[in-house]
PDB file of all heavy atoms in Angstrom:
ATOM      1  N   GLU A 226      75.006  82.410  57.701  1.00  0.00           N
ATOM      2  CA  GLU A 226      74.214  81.624  56.748  1.00  0.00           C
ATOM      3  C   GLU A 226      72.775  81.426  57.183  1.00  0.00           C
ATOM      4  O   GLU A 226      71.933  80.993  56.421  1.00  0.00           O
ATOM      5  CB  GLU A 226      74.827  80.247  56.554  1.00  0.00           C
ATOM      6  CG  GLU A 226      76.105  80.283  55.720  1.00  0.00           C
ATOM      7  CD  GLU A 226      76.727  78.923  55.584  1.00  0.00           C
ATOM      8  OE1 GLU A 226      76.335  77.987  56.286  1.00  0.00           O
ATOM      9  OE2 GLU A 226      77.573  78.777  54.719  1.00  0.00           O
ATOM     10  N   THR A 227      72.487  81.762  58.431  1.00  0.00           N
ATOM     11  CA  THR A 227      71.141  81.517  58.911  1.00  0.00           C
ATOM     12  C   THR A 227      70.239  82.680  58.530  1.00  0.00           C
ATOM     13  O   THR A 227      70.591  83.855  58.633  1.00  0.00           O
ATOM     14  CB  THR A 227      71.161  81.379  60.467  1.00  0.00           C
ATOM     15  OG1 THR A 227      72.009  80.287  60.808  1.00  0.00           O
ATOM     16  CG2 THR A 227      69.762  81.118  61.010  1.00  0.00           C
ATOM     17  N   ASN A 228      69.035  82.343  58.078  1.00  0.00           N
ATOM     18  CA  ASN A 228      68.049  83.343  57.698  1.00  0.00           C
ATOM     19  C   ASN A 228      67.281  83.807  58.961  1.00  0.00           C
ATOM     20  O   ASN A 228      66.311  83.204  59.336  1.00  0.00           O
ATOM     21  CB  ASN A 228      67.100  82.748  56.680  1.00  0.00           C
ATOM     22  CG  ASN A 228      66.243  83.774  56.027  1.00  0.00           C
ATOM     23  OD1 ASN A 228      66.492  84.971  56.185  1.00  0.00           O
ATOM     24  ND2 ASN A 228      65.258  83.338  55.272  1.00  0.00           N
ATOM     25  N   TRP A 229      67.837  84.800  59.649  1.00  0.00           N
ATOM     26  CA  TRP A 229      67.233  85.233  60.907  1.00  0.00           C
ATOM     27  C   TRP A 229      65.927  85.979  60.702  1.00  0.00           C
ATOM     28  O   TRP A 229      65.877  86.863  59.862  1.00  0.00           O
ATOM     29  CB  TRP A 229      68.269  86.190  61.635  1.00  0.00           C
ATOM     30  CG  TRP A 229      69.525  85.514  61.982  1.00  0.00           C
ATOM     31  CD1 TRP A 229      70.658  85.470  61.257  1.00  0.00           C
ATOM     32  CD2 TRP A 229      69.778  84.646  63.104  1.00  0.00           C
ATOM     33  NE1 TRP A 229      71.640  84.697  61.861  1.00  0.00           N
ATOM     34  CE2 TRP A 229      71.078  84.176  63.003  1.00  0.00           C
ATOM     35  CE3 TRP A 229      68.989  84.271  64.177  1.00  0.00           C
ATOM     36  CZ2 TRP A 229      71.644  83.348  63.939  1.00  0.00           C
ATOM     37  CZ3 TRP A 229      69.590  83.427  65.146  1.00  0.00           C
ATOM     38  CH2 TRP A 229      70.903  82.995  65.008  1.00  0.00           C
ATOM     39  N   PRO A 230      64.912  85.646  61.465  1.00  0.00           N
ATOM     40  CA  PRO A 230      63.670  86.391  61.317  1.00  0.00           C
ATOM     41  C   PRO A 230      63.824  87.810  61.864  1.00  0.00           C
ATOM     42  O   PRO A 230      64.711  88.078  62.662  1.00  0.00           O
ATOM     43  CB  PRO A 230      62.644  85.586  62.203  1.00  0.00           C
ATOM     44  CG  PRO A 230      63.473  84.637  62.997  1.00  0.00           C
ATOM     45  CD  PRO A 230      64.809  84.543  62.393  1.00  0.00           C
ATOM     46  N   ARG A 231      62.965  88.672  61.448  1.00  0.00           N
ATOM     47  CA  ARG A 231      63.049  90.127  61.789  1.00  0.00           C
ATOM     48  C   ARG A 231      63.056  90.322  63.284  1.00  0.00           C
ATOM     49  O   ARG A 231      63.770  91.137  63.836  1.00  0.00           O
ATOM     50  CB  ARG A 231      61.944  90.873  61.124  1.00  0.00           C
ATOM     51  CG  ARG A 231      62.029  92.361  61.224  1.00  0.00           C
ATOM     52  CD  ARG A 231      61.376  92.972  60.024  1.00  0.00           C
ATOM     53  NE  ARG A 231      61.513  94.382  59.901  1.00  0.00           N
ATOM     54  CZ  ARG A 231      62.625  95.068  59.666  1.00  0.00           C
ATOM     55  NH1 ARG A 231      63.738  94.416  59.516  1.00  0.00           N
ATOM     56  NH2 ARG A 231      62.602  96.358  59.507  1.00  0.00           N
ATOM     57  N   LYS A 232      62.212  89.562  64.013  1.00  0.00           N
ATOM     58  CA  LYS A 232      62.130  89.730  65.461  1.00  0.00           C
ATOM     59  C   LYS A 232      63.406  89.204  66.184  1.00  0.00           C
ATOM     60  O   LYS A 232      63.554  89.479  67.365  1.00  0.00           O
ATOM     61  CB  LYS A 232      60.846  89.118  66.013  1.00  0.00           C
ATOM     62  CG  LYS A 232      60.805  87.593  65.888  1.00  0.00           C
ATOM     63  CD  LYS A 232      59.529  87.052  66.451  1.00  0.00           C
ATOM     64  CE  LYS A 232      59.453  85.592  66.283  1.00  0.00           C
ATOM     65  NZ  LYS A 232      58.251  85.032  66.824  1.00  0.00           N
ATOM     66  N   ARG A 233      64.222  88.462  65.517  1.00  0.00           N
ATOM     67  CA  ARG A 233      65.440  87.910  66.101  1.00  0.00           C
ATOM     68  C   ARG A 233      66.677  88.540  65.461  1.00  0.00           C
ATOM     69  O   ARG A 233      67.776  87.918  65.481  1.00  0.00           O
ATOM     70  CB  ARG A 233      65.465  86.384  65.941  1.00  0.00           C
ATOM     71  CG  ARG A 233      64.354  85.693  66.545  1.00  0.00           C
ATOM     72  CD  ARG A 233      64.605  85.352  67.959  1.00  0.00           C
ATOM     73  NE  ARG A 233      63.575  84.540  68.501  1.00  0.00           N
ATOM     74  CZ  ARG A 233      62.880  84.801  69.567  1.00  0.00           C
ATOM     75  NH1 ARG A 233      63.106  85.892  70.250  1.00  0.00           N
ATOM     76  NH2 ARG A 233      61.953  83.977  70.004  1.00  0.00           N
ATOM     77  N   ARG A 234      66.559  89.685  64.901  1.00  0.00           N
ATOM     78  CA  ARG A 234      67.665  90.260  64.103  1.00  0.00           C
ATOM     79  C   ARG A 234      68.890  90.584  64.982  1.00  0.00           C
ATOM     80  O   ARG A 234      70.017  90.757  64.469  1.00  0.00           O
ATOM     81  CB  ARG A 234      67.209  91.455  63.321  1.00  0.00           C
ATOM     82  CG  ARG A 234      66.886  92.673  64.136  1.00  0.00           C
ATOM     83  CD  ARG A 234      66.406  93.847  63.229  1.00  0.00           C
ATOM     84  NE  ARG A 234      66.092  94.971  64.017  1.00  0.00           N
ATOM     85  CZ  ARG A 234      64.888  95.257  64.474  1.00  0.00           C
ATOM     86  NH1 ARG A 234      63.867  94.487  64.201  1.00  0.00           N
ATOM     87  NH2 ARG A 234      64.687  96.342  65.205  1.00  0.00           N
ATOM     88  N   PHE A 235      68.737  90.727  66.296  1.00  0.00           N
ATOM     89  CA  PHE A 235      69.852  91.064  67.167  1.00  0.00           C
ATOM     90  C   PHE A 235      70.572  89.804  67.681  1.00  0.00           C
ATOM     91  O   PHE A 235      71.667  89.889  68.237  1.00  0.00           O
ATOM     92  CB  PHE A 235      69.389  91.881  68.378  1.00  0.00           C
ATOM     93  CG  PHE A 235      68.965  93.273  67.992  1.00  0.00           C
ATOM     94  CD1 PHE A 235      67.633  93.640  68.102  1.00  0.00           C
ATOM     95  CD2 PHE A 235      69.869  94.179  67.465  1.00  0.00           C
ATOM     96  CE1 PHE A 235      67.244  94.903  67.722  1.00  0.00           C
ATOM     97  CE2 PHE A 235      69.467  95.431  67.086  1.00  0.00           C
ATOM     98  CZ  PHE A 235      68.154  95.796  67.218  1.00  0.00           C
ATOM     99  N   THR A 236      69.984  88.644  67.461  1.00  0.00           N
ATOM    100  CA  THR A 236      70.605  87.385  67.943  1.00  0.00           C
ATOM    101  C   THR A 236      72.001  87.134  67.362  1.00  0.00           C
ATOM    102  O   THR A 236      72.909  86.820  68.154  1.00  0.00           O
ATOM    103  CB  THR A 236      69.667  86.195  67.625  1.00  0.00           C
ATOM    104  OG1 THR A 236      68.398  86.426  68.235  1.00  0.00           O
ATOM    105  CG2 THR A 236      70.245  84.895  68.158  1.00  0.00           C
ATOM    106  N   PRO A 237      72.210  87.336  66.065  1.00  0.00           N
ATOM    107  CA  PRO A 237      73.588  87.066  65.566  1.00  0.00           C
ATOM    108  C   PRO A 237      74.614  88.039  66.157  1.00  0.00           C
ATOM    109  O   PRO A 237      75.757  87.680  66.403  1.00  0.00           O
ATOM    110  CB  PRO A 237      73.458  87.248  64.067  1.00  0.00           C
ATOM    111  CG  PRO A 237      72.131  87.882  63.810  1.00  0.00           C
ATOM    112  CD  PRO A 237      71.302  87.595  64.941  1.00  0.00           C
ATOM    113  N   TRP A 238      74.161  89.262  66.433  1.00  0.00           N
ATOM    114  CA  TRP A 238      75.078  90.246  67.046  1.00  0.00           C
ATOM    115  C   TRP A 238      75.405  89.852  68.481  1.00  0.00           C
ATOM    116  O   TRP A 238      76.562  90.031  68.898  1.00  0.00           O
ATOM    117  CB  TRP A 238      74.413  91.639  66.998  1.00  0.00           C
ATOM    118  CG  TRP A 238      74.243  92.158  65.626  1.00  0.00           C
ATOM    119  CD1 TRP A 238      73.105  92.163  64.903  1.00  0.00           C
ATOM    120  CD2 TRP A 238      75.259  92.706  64.798  1.00  0.00           C
ATOM    121  NE1 TRP A 238      73.313  92.658  63.619  1.00  0.00           N
ATOM    122  CE2 TRP A 238      74.681  93.013  63.521  1.00  0.00           C
ATOM    123  CE3 TRP A 238      76.658  92.917  64.976  1.00  0.00           C
ATOM    124  CZ2 TRP A 238      75.370  93.555  62.475  1.00  0.00           C
ATOM    125  CZ3 TRP A 238      77.352  93.474  63.897  1.00  0.00           C
ATOM    126  CH2 TRP A 238      76.721  93.789  62.702  1.00  0.00           C
ATOM    127  N   MET A 239      74.418  89.307  69.174  1.00  0.00           N
ATOM    128  CA  MET A 239      74.670  88.846  70.565  1.00  0.00           C
ATOM    129  C   MET A 239      75.642  87.678  70.576  1.00  0.00           C
ATOM    130  O   MET A 239      76.509  87.578  71.424  1.00  0.00           O
ATOM    131  CB  MET A 239      73.380  88.535  71.258  1.00  0.00           C
ATOM    132  CG  MET A 239      72.455  89.716  71.412  1.00  0.00           C
ATOM    133  SD  MET A 239      73.190  91.168  72.173  1.00  0.00           S
ATOM    134  CE  MET A 239      73.350  90.585  73.828  1.00  0.00           C
ATOM    135  N   LEU A 240      75.442  86.748  69.598  1.00  0.00           N
ATOM    136  CA  LEU A 240      76.319  85.556  69.533  1.00  0.00           C
ATOM    137  C   LEU A 240      77.756  86.006  69.192  1.00  0.00           C
ATOM    138  O   LEU A 240      78.730  85.490  69.812  1.00  0.00           O
ATOM    139  CB  LEU A 240      75.809  84.623  68.480  1.00  0.00           C
ATOM    140  CG  LEU A 240      74.427  83.942  68.794  1.00  0.00           C
ATOM    141  CD1 LEU A 240      73.952  83.160  67.561  1.00  0.00           C
ATOM    142  CD2 LEU A 240      74.563  83.027  69.984  1.00  0.00           C
ATOM    143  N   ALA A 241      77.897  86.929  68.287  1.00  0.00           N
ATOM    144  CA  ALA A 241      79.234  87.419  67.911  1.00  0.00           C
ATOM    145  C   ALA A 241      79.855  88.187  69.062  1.00  0.00           C
ATOM    146  O   ALA A 241      81.052  88.016  69.357  1.00  0.00           O
ATOM    147  CB  ALA A 241      79.118  88.336  66.665  1.00  0.00           C
ATOM    148  N   LEU A 242      79.106  88.955  69.807  1.00  0.00           N
ATOM    149  CA  LEU A 242      79.593  89.683  70.945  1.00  0.00           C
ATOM    150  C   LEU A 242      80.055  88.721  72.069  1.00  0.00           C
ATOM    151  O   LEU A 242      81.147  88.889  72.645  1.00  0.00           O
ATOM    152  CB  LEU A 242      78.542  90.637  71.512  1.00  0.00           C
ATOM    153  CG  LEU A 242      78.967  91.446  72.723  1.00  0.00           C
ATOM    154  CD1 LEU A 242      80.066  92.422  72.352  1.00  0.00           C
ATOM    155  CD2 LEU A 242      77.708  92.157  73.302  1.00  0.00           C
ATOM    156  N   ALA A 243      79.280  87.682  72.297  1.00  0.00           N
ATOM    157  CA  ALA A 243      79.662  86.676  73.299  1.00  0.00           C
ATOM    158  C   ALA A 243      81.026  86.040  72.919  1.00  0.00           C
ATOM    159  O   ALA A 243      81.877  85.859  73.796  1.00  0.00           O
ATOM    160  CB  ALA A 243      78.584  85.593  73.424  1.00  0.00           C
ATOM    161  N   PHE A 244      81.183  85.714  71.655  1.00  0.00           N
ATOM    162  CA  PHE A 244      82.462  85.125  71.243  1.00  0.00           C
ATOM    163  C   PHE A 244      83.615  86.141  71.399  1.00  0.00           C
ATOM    164  O   PHE A 244      84.698  85.815  71.842  1.00  0.00           O
ATOM    165  CB  PHE A 244      82.412  84.692  69.764  1.00  0.00           C
ATOM    166  CG  PHE A 244      83.732  84.189  69.227  1.00  0.00           C
ATOM    167  CD1 PHE A 244      84.226  82.971  69.610  1.00  0.00           C
ATOM    168  CD2 PHE A 244      84.510  84.976  68.358  1.00  0.00           C
ATOM    169  CE1 PHE A 244      85.469  82.522  69.141  1.00  0.00           C
ATOM    170  CE2 PHE A 244      85.680  84.523  67.916  1.00  0.00           C
ATOM    171  CZ  PHE A 244      86.191  83.336  68.293  1.00  0.00           C
ATOM    172  N   ALA A 245      83.349  87.371  71.065  1.00  0.00           N
ATOM    173  CA  ALA A 245      84.403  88.463  71.095  1.00  0.00           C
ATOM    174  C   ALA A 245      84.864  88.713  72.489  1.00  0.00           C
ATOM    175  O   ALA A 245      86.040  89.049  72.703  1.00  0.00           O
ATOM    176  CB  ALA A 245      83.906  89.714  70.391  1.00  0.00           C
ATOM    177  N   VAL A 246      84.004  88.653  73.483  1.00  0.00           N
ATOM    178  CA  VAL A 246      84.393  89.038  74.860  1.00  0.00           C
ATOM    179  C   VAL A 246      84.712  87.876  75.777  1.00  0.00           C
ATOM    180  O   VAL A 246      85.302  88.075  76.841  1.00  0.00           O
ATOM    181  CB  VAL A 246      83.290  89.895  75.528  1.00  0.00           C
ATOM    182  CG1 VAL A 246      83.033  91.118  74.757  1.00  0.00           C
ATOM    183  CG2 VAL A 246      82.031  89.136  75.802  1.00  0.00           C
TER     184      VAL A 246
END
Side-chain angles (χ1 to χ4, degrees):
E226 288 179 346
T227 302
N228 192 12
W229 298 95
R231 189 151 186 69
K232 65 181 180 179
R233 302 272 188 235
R234 69 179 182 269
F235 292 112
T236 304
W238 295 100
M239 298 305 290
L240 294 172
L242 179 66
F244 175 75
V246 301

